Every structure is written in C-alpha cells, then in structure tokens.
C-alpha cells in the first residue's frame, strides 16, 4: 500500500456529499479502481476509470482523475448510512518480473456517515 | 453466476493442523488470485494463477501452498501456521491477468491458535 496513499478517516452527515482522495505513483497504470469493504466482508468493486479519462459518473458516484498530479477522487452524492465502509483506491501496476499486472491497494479510507 | 465463492467463511486451526481454503468461480475467468488482509490493512497479494499455472508468488512462506486443479477452482493448503497468519484470506478472479474488474470473494476469516 505504500505506493498508493489515502487519508484514513472521513466523517460526513447523511445527505451530504463525501469526497475520498487518493494519490498514486505509477504513471503507467492503465486502470484505477475504487473498492468498498463493509465490516467482515470481501471487496466490492464500486467503479473504475481508464487512465485516458478525466471523469466518470455512475449514479451517485463520480470519479475524477488528474493524471498530471496522479490524483484520484471518489465523490459520493447524497451519502447514506449504508455507505459507511472502508473505501480502497487501487491501481493496476506492471509486475515486470512476472510480465503481468497486479492490483496495489491504498491503506483504505474509513467513511463514517452520521445520521 | 457472477460470484466468487469461498469456503469456509470462518476457520479456527491449531498450529499443527492441516487445512485448506477453497475458492470457486464459474464466470470463465482465467486468472485467479489469493490475497491476505490483516485487520485495518489493505489486501496484500500472495499468489496469481493464470490459465491454471502459477504466475506470481509474492515470497509467501512454504506453509502456504496454492493449487489450481482446474480453471474454476483455487485452493490454498495450510500447514504448520503461526498465530501471526491469522487474517482474512480473499480470493479474486479476472477475465485475464491484465484485465480490469477483479471480482473478490467474501473471504475466509482464519484464526490460528
């Protein structure tokens, strides 16, 4: 996780927007992802963005990519209590030794939604 | 079927036990992965199989032994584990080893006593 940085905590009120930020290091990453993990559960792919895109919107989720600054953000509109979870940013990085790509995760941002 | 199924969901084992974790997918994905996740940490890659062949082994101790008997199944055999091996073990699959859209299972919560 040391190559992908995220703030560890975010607290918002129900109905407000949440913005979770991430910085990454590998400029050759082709895809960047956001995963959601609820307590005791596995990882759920929320959304992804291809590196030649600046923005992607999917219902309440908006992903912004600033490739120059290697900055990725996830905005959740109208945040609900069910959105409380840990959100992981991940990049697809080349493992040159294996000749293949693998996911590298950030440390995760714990989102707490206050009713 | 768009899921990755992992069994068991919870496992408690002694340090002298031998046990196996199982992972199954029927999406036709040809790449399968084992990740280890400690509490409050991100998942860490352990193994990658591509077309049933081991592609990546991230310097994992030999007490963890992966096996891919066919394109739908991935096992992780455990032997002589240590308490520090207690973690959530996640299986994932993807269409190809370079593809996006990894699908994760819900994990096996392993406790070594």
């Amino acid at each position: 996780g040391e190559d992908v940085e995220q703030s560890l905590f975010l607290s918002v009120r129900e109905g407000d927007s949440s913005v979770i930020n991430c910085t990454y290091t590998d400029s050759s990453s082709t895809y960047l992802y956001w995963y959601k993990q609820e307590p005791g559960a596995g990882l759920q792919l929320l959304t992804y963005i291809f590196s030649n895109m600046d923005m992607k919107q999917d219902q309440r989720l908006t992903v912004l990519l600033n490739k120059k600054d290697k900055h990725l953000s996830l905005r959740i509109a109208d945040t609900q209590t069910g959105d409380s979870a840990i959100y992981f940013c991940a990049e697809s990085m080349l493992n040159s030794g294996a000749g293949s790509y693998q996911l590298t995760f950030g440390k995760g941002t714990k989102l707490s939604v206050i009713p | 079927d768009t899921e990755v199924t992992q069994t068991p969901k919870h496992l408690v084992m002694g340090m002298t036990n031998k046990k196996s974790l199982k992972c199954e997918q029927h999406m036709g994905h040809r790449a399968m992965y084992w990740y280890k996740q400690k509490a409050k940490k991100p998942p860490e890659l352990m193994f990658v199989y591509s077309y049933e062949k081991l592609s990546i082994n991230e310097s994992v101790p030999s007490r963890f032994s992966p096996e891919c008997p066919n394109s739908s199944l991935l096992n992780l055999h455990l032997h002589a584990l240590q308490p520090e091996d207690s973690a959530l073990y996640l299986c994932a699959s993807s269409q190809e080893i370079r593809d996006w859209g990894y699908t994760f299972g819900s994990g096996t919560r392993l406790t070594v006593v």
Side-chain angles (χ1 to χ4, degrees):
Chain A
E2 61 185 319
D3 295 326
V4 181
E5 297 288 337
Q6 298 179 242
S7 53
L8 295 181
F9 301 99
L10 177 65
S11 183
V12 299
R13 292 203 172 275
E14 190 174 17
D16 288 350
S17 291
S18 309
V19 179
I20 303 171
N21 294 302
C22 169
T23 55
Y24 61 98
T25 56
D26 189 352
S27 57
S28 66
S29 293
T30 50
Y31 288 101
L32 295 141
Y33 311 83
W34 284 103
Y35 282 88
K36 176 184 180 183
Q37 187 174 35
E38 297 184 42
L43 293 168
Q44 175 194 354
L45 177 65
L46 277 183
T47 187
Y48 66 96
I49 189 166
F50 191 52
S51 57
N52 69 352
M53 297 169 67
D54 297 323
M55 186 183 86
K56 180 179 179 181
Q57 188 156 1
D58 184 1
Q59 299 183 340
R60 291 192 297 124
L61 305 178
T62 303
V63 178
L64 294 177
L65 176 61
N66 181 328
K67 203 170 178 185
K68 174 175 165 290
D69 295 337
K70 296 181 188 168
H71 182 265
L72 183 72
S73 68
L74 174 70
R75 179 176 179 269
I76 306 173
D78 187 25
T79 312
Q80 303 297 307
T81 55
D83 295 323
S84 293
I86 298 177
Y87 290 81
F88 290 98
C89 169
E91 63 172 336
S92 179
M93 295 178 69
L94 176 63
N95 182 323
S96 54
S100 62
Y101 285 84
Q102 63 190 57
L103 284 182
T104 298
F105 291 88
K107 288 184 167 59
T109 299
K110 184 174 181 180
L111 174 64
S112 299
V113 182
I114 305 164
Chain B
D1 188 352
T2 57
E3 290 187 347
V4 173
T5 303
Q6 289 188 245
T7 55
K9 292 197 184 308
H10 301 275
L11 179 62
V12 179
M13 61 184 290
M15 290 187 282
T16 58
N17 291 160
K18 284 185 184 181
K19 296 286 184 184
S20 297
L21 309 185
K22 296 186 183 302
C23 174
E24 191 168 0
Q25 56 88 14
H26 297 287
M27 294 177 281
H29 288 177
R30 302 314 300 267
M32 296 185 76
Y33 312 79
W34 280 116
Y35 282 83
K36 174 182 178 179
Q37 187 180 24
K38 301 282 280 182
K40 299 183 182 178
K41 297 287 187 185
E44 294 179 347
L45 183 66
M46 299 174 74
F47 302 105
V48 180
Y49 272 83
S50 176
Y51 289 86
E52 295 132 65
K53 287 189 173 16
L54 185 63
S55 172
I56 295 174
N57 176 342
E58 290 287 351
S59 303
V60 180
S62 60
R63 57 186 185 268
F64 295 91
S65 174
E67 179 199 18
C68 189
N70 61 56
S71 59
S72 299
L73 293 174
L74 186 66
N75 298 321
L76 186 62
H77 303 299
L78 314 172
H79 174 53
L81 294 194
Q82 303 296 310
E84 59 264 30
D85 296 321
S86 298
L88 180 68
Y89 288 84
L90 293 163
C91 175
S93 69
S94 66
Q95 184 68 27
E96 295 286 346
I97 202 163
R98 296 177 180 228
D99 201 14
W100 64 273
Y102 298 67
T103 302
F104 280 83
S106 55
T108 294
R109 177 76 59 188
L110 174 68
T111 304
V112 182
V113 296

